[in-house]
């Protein structure tokens, strides 16, 4: 999701809800909950919520991360769309 564009982790709220044991299979479900540009225009603040679930679909960990990501300026995006 952020490989090559991540500039900074601004905030992380994490909850560990259940143990994960040897042999468990886990997967993550990610939802982007907010995106807003910074005043520089070519960066953005992105908030995402991640739920890590085990093979029984039980949530074993959840976290909300706020990150500063590099991106394109609004002008560059508008030119590409034209």
């Amino acid at each position: 999701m952020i490989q090559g564009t991540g500039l900074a982790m601004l905030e992380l709220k994490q909850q560990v809800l259940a143990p994960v044991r040897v042999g468990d299979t886990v997967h993550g479900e990610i939802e982007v909950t907010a995106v807003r540009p910074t005043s520089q225009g070519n960066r953005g603040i992105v908030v995402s919520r991640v739920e890590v679930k085990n093979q029984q679909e039980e949530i074993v960990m959840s976290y909300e991360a706020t990150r500063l990501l590099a991106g394109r300026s609004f002008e560059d995006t508008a030119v590409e769309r034209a």
Side-chain angles (χ1 to χ4, degrees):
M1 180 173 93
I2 63 167
Q3 191 169 9
T5 62
L7 299 174
M9 174 68 77
L10 302 176
E11 184 176 14
L12 183 67
K13 299 174 188 171
Q14 179 180 356
Q15 291 183 304
V16 177
L17 304 168
V20 175
R21 297 179 173 85
V22 173
D24 282 356
T25 301
V26 296
H27 70 276
E29 297 178 6
I30 304 165
E31 176 186 6
V32 175
T33 58
V35 177
R36 63 181 168 87
T38 64
S39 59
Q40 285 192 303
N42 64 343
R43 297 177 179 187
I45 306 293
V46 177
V47 181
S48 58
R49 177 158 179 77
V50 180
E51 291 184 339
V52 179
K53 297 182 179 183
N54 64 15
Q55 65 273 14
Q56 282 89 33
E57 293 296 311
E58 299 167 329
I59 300 171
V60 295
M61 182 175 71
S62 68
Y63 65 93
E64 181 178 271
T66 303
R67 299 178 176 97
L68 175 64
L69 302 181
R72 299 182 199 156
S73 68
F74 176 76
E75 292 80 20
D76 292 344
T77 304
V79 169
E80 284 184 15
R81 292 183 184 164

